[in-house]
PDB file of all heavy atoms in Angstrom:
ATOM      1  N   ASN A1353     -31.363 -14.506 -56.177  1.00 88.00           N
ATOM      2  CA  ASN A1353     -31.573 -15.518 -57.284  1.00 88.00           C
ATOM      3  C   ASN A1353     -30.763 -15.200 -58.551  1.00 88.00           C
ATOM      4  O   ASN A1353     -30.343 -16.084 -59.265  1.00 88.00           O
ATOM      5  CB  ASN A1353     -33.026 -15.706 -57.542  1.00 88.00           C
ATOM      6  CG  ASN A1353     -33.813 -16.357 -56.415  1.00 88.00           C
ATOM      7  OD1 ASN A1353     -33.268 -17.237 -55.770  1.00 88.00           O
ATOM      8  ND2 ASN A1353     -35.084 -16.018 -56.298  1.00 88.00           N
ATOM      9  N   ALA A1354     -30.701 -13.885 -58.860  1.00 90.00           N
ATOM     10  CA  ALA A1354     -29.971 -13.476 -60.046  1.00 90.00           C
ATOM     11  C   ALA A1354     -28.495 -13.863 -59.959  1.00 90.00           C
ATOM     12  O   ALA A1354     -27.823 -14.218 -60.945  1.00 90.00           O
ATOM     13  CB  ALA A1354     -30.073 -12.011 -60.203  1.00 90.00           C
ATOM     14  N   MET A1355     -27.954 -13.796 -58.678  1.00 89.00           N
ATOM     15  CA  MET A1355     -26.551 -14.103 -58.450  1.00 89.00           C
ATOM     16  C   MET A1355     -26.349 -15.568 -58.032  1.00 89.00           C
ATOM     17  O   MET A1355     -25.250 -16.013 -57.840  1.00 89.00           O
ATOM     18  CB  MET A1355     -25.986 -13.205 -57.419  1.00 89.00           C
ATOM     19  CG  MET A1355     -25.951 -11.779 -57.824  1.00 89.00           C
ATOM     20  SD  MET A1355     -24.744 -11.447 -59.103  1.00 89.00           S
ATOM     21  CE  MET A1355     -23.184 -11.679 -58.173  1.00 89.00           C
ATOM     22  N   ALA A1356     -27.480 -16.256 -57.808  1.00 93.00           N
ATOM     23  CA  ALA A1356     -27.447 -17.672 -57.377  1.00 93.00           C
ATOM     24  C   ALA A1356     -26.644 -17.787 -56.124  1.00 93.00           C
ATOM     25  O   ALA A1356     -25.785 -18.643 -55.968  1.00 93.00           O
ATOM     26  CB  ALA A1356     -26.869 -18.622 -58.484  1.00 93.00           C
ATOM     27  N   THR A1357     -26.942 -16.883 -55.191  1.00 97.00           N
ATOM     28  CA  THR A1357     -26.129 -16.821 -53.912  1.00 97.00           C
ATOM     29  C   THR A1357     -27.073 -16.818 -52.702  1.00 97.00           C
ATOM     30  O   THR A1357     -28.191 -16.153 -52.751  1.00 97.00           O
ATOM     31  CB  THR A1357     -25.316 -15.572 -53.959  1.00 97.00           C
ATOM     32  OG1 THR A1357     -24.381 -15.631 -55.076  1.00 97.00           O
ATOM     33  CG2 THR A1357     -24.439 -15.508 -52.612  1.00 97.00           C
ATOM     34  N   VAL A1358     -26.661 -17.490 -51.675  1.00 98.00           N
ATOM     35  CA  VAL A1358     -27.396 -17.493 -50.429  1.00 98.00           C
ATOM     36  C   VAL A1358     -26.495 -16.975 -49.370  1.00 98.00           C
ATOM     37  O   VAL A1358     -25.255 -17.227 -49.380  1.00 98.00           O
ATOM     38  CB  VAL A1358     -27.918 -18.894 -50.079  1.00 98.00           C
ATOM     39  CG1 VAL A1358     -26.803 -19.963 -49.883  1.00 98.00           C
ATOM     40  CG2 VAL A1358     -28.775 -18.831 -48.814  1.00 98.00           C
ATOM     41  N   PHE A1359     -27.024 -16.052 -48.487  1.00 98.00           N
ATOM     42  CA  PHE A1359     -26.323 -15.469 -47.450  1.00 98.00           C
ATOM     43  C   PHE A1359     -26.803 -15.930 -46.033  1.00 98.00           C
ATOM     44  O   PHE A1359     -28.032 -16.288 -45.889  1.00 98.00           O
ATOM     45  CB  PHE A1359     -26.475 -13.939 -47.512  1.00 98.00           C
ATOM     46  CG  PHE A1359     -26.043 -13.409 -48.889  1.00 98.00           C
ATOM     47  CD1 PHE A1359     -27.002 -13.192 -49.816  1.00 98.00           C
ATOM     48  CD2 PHE A1359     -24.756 -13.108 -49.166  1.00 98.00           C
ATOM     49  CE1 PHE A1359     -26.681 -12.587 -51.117  1.00 98.00           C
ATOM     50  CE2 PHE A1359     -24.388 -12.592 -50.418  1.00 98.00           C
ATOM     51  CZ  PHE A1359     -25.374 -12.396 -51.397  1.00 98.00           C
ATOM     52  N   LEU A1360     -25.944 -15.763 -45.027  1.00 98.00           N
ATOM     53  CA  LEU A1360     -26.441 -15.966 -43.693  1.00 98.00           C
ATOM     54  C   LEU A1360     -25.763 -14.933 -42.859  1.00 98.00           C
ATOM     55  O   LEU A1360     -24.501 -14.886 -42.647  1.00 98.00           O
ATOM     56  CB  LEU A1360     -25.974 -17.365 -43.125  1.00 98.00           C
ATOM     57  CG  LEU A1360     -26.496 -17.724 -41.761  1.00 98.00           C
ATOM     58  CD1 LEU A1360     -28.073 -17.870 -41.789  1.00 98.00           C
ATOM     59  CD2 LEU A1360     -25.859 -19.014 -41.219  1.00 98.00           C
ATOM     60  N   GLN A1361     -26.538 -13.942 -42.433  1.00 98.00           N
ATOM     61  CA  GLN A1361     -26.108 -12.858 -41.527  1.00 98.00           C
ATOM     62  C   GLN A1361     -26.204 -13.399 -40.112  1.00 98.00           C
ATOM     63  O   GLN A1361     -27.340 -13.733 -39.672  1.00 98.00           O
ATOM     64  CB  GLN A1361     -26.897 -11.614 -41.714  1.00 98.00           C
ATOM     65  CG  GLN A1361     -26.482 -10.455 -40.775  1.00 98.00           C
ATOM     66  CD  GLN A1361     -25.106  -9.973 -41.025  1.00 98.00           C
ATOM     67  OE1 GLN A1361     -24.683  -9.828 -42.150  1.00 98.00           O
ATOM     68  NE2 GLN A1361     -24.343  -9.757 -39.932  1.00 98.00           N
ATOM     69  N   MET A1362     -25.116 -13.473 -39.329  1.00 98.00           N
ATOM     70  CA  MET A1362     -25.121 -13.945 -38.039  1.00 98.00           C
ATOM     71  C   MET A1362     -24.733 -12.838 -37.054  1.00 98.00           C
ATOM     72  O   MET A1362     -23.671 -12.293 -37.115  1.00 98.00           O
ATOM     73  CB  MET A1362     -24.161 -15.169 -37.908  1.00 98.00           C
ATOM     74  CG  MET A1362     -24.366 -16.298 -38.925  1.00 98.00           C
ATOM     75  SD  MET A1362     -23.304 -17.643 -38.727  1.00 98.00           S
ATOM     76  CE  MET A1362     -21.705 -16.968 -39.162  1.00 98.00           C
ATOM     77  N   ASN A1363     -25.647 -12.508 -36.193  1.00 98.00           N
ATOM     78  CA  ASN A1363     -25.446 -11.474 -35.225  1.00 98.00           C
ATOM     79  C   ASN A1363     -25.485 -12.021 -33.796  1.00 98.00           C
ATOM     80  O   ASN A1363     -25.963 -13.123 -33.614  1.00 98.00           O
ATOM     81  CB  ASN A1363     -26.539 -10.365 -35.315  1.00 98.00           C
ATOM     82  CG  ASN A1363     -26.444  -9.663 -36.718  1.00 98.00           C
ATOM     83  OD1 ASN A1363     -25.451  -9.499 -37.317  1.00 98.00           O
ATOM     84  ND2 ASN A1363     -27.605  -9.184 -37.153  1.00 98.00           N
ATOM     85  N   ASP A1364     -24.966 -11.311 -32.849  1.00 98.00           N
ATOM     86  CA  ASP A1364     -24.907 -11.690 -31.469  1.00 98.00           C
ATOM     87  C   ASP A1364     -24.518 -13.153 -31.321  1.00 98.00           C
ATOM     88  O   ASP A1364     -25.065 -14.049 -30.681  1.00 98.00           O
ATOM     89  CB  ASP A1364     -26.380 -11.580 -30.858  1.00 98.00           C
ATOM     90  CG  ASP A1364     -26.341 -11.798 -29.293  1.00 98.00           C
ATOM     91  OD1 ASP A1364     -25.313 -11.554 -28.703  1.00 98.00           O
ATOM     92  OD2 ASP A1364     -27.431 -12.168 -28.789  1.00 98.00           O
ATOM     93  N   LEU A1365     -23.312 -13.423 -31.972  1.00 98.00           N
ATOM     94  CA  LEU A1365     -22.774 -14.790 -31.980  1.00 98.00           C
ATOM     95  C   LEU A1365     -22.433 -15.204 -30.569  1.00 98.00           C
ATOM     96  O   LEU A1365     -21.915 -14.479 -29.709  1.00 98.00           O
ATOM     97  CB  LEU A1365     -21.571 -14.867 -32.904  1.00 98.00           C
ATOM     98  CG  LEU A1365     -21.959 -14.932 -34.416  1.00 98.00           C
ATOM     99  CD1 LEU A1365     -20.782 -14.491 -35.292  1.00 98.00           C
ATOM    100  CD2 LEU A1365     -22.454 -16.332 -34.744  1.00 98.00           C
ATOM    101  N   LYS A1366     -22.580 -16.544 -30.280  1.00 98.00           N
ATOM    102  CA  LYS A1366     -22.284 -17.084 -29.018  1.00 98.00           C
ATOM    103  C   LYS A1366     -21.228 -18.250 -29.220  1.00 98.00           C
ATOM    104  O   LYS A1366     -21.180 -18.821 -30.321  1.00 98.00           O
ATOM    105  CB  LYS A1366     -23.618 -17.769 -28.420  1.00 98.00           C
ATOM    106  CG  LYS A1366     -24.659 -16.702 -28.211  1.00 98.00           C
ATOM    107  CD  LYS A1366     -25.949 -17.293 -27.729  1.00 98.00           C
ATOM    108  CE  LYS A1366     -27.070 -16.262 -27.578  1.00 98.00           C
ATOM    109  NZ  LYS A1366     -28.333 -16.840 -27.064  1.00 98.00           N
TER     110      LYS A1366
END
Side-chain angles (χ1 to χ4, degrees):
N1353 289 328
M1355 297 290 291
T1357 301
V1358 61
F1359 305 95
L1360 186 68
Q1361 177 65 43
M1362 304 185 293
N1363 298 329
D1364 190 23
L1365 282 160
K1366 304 176 180 181

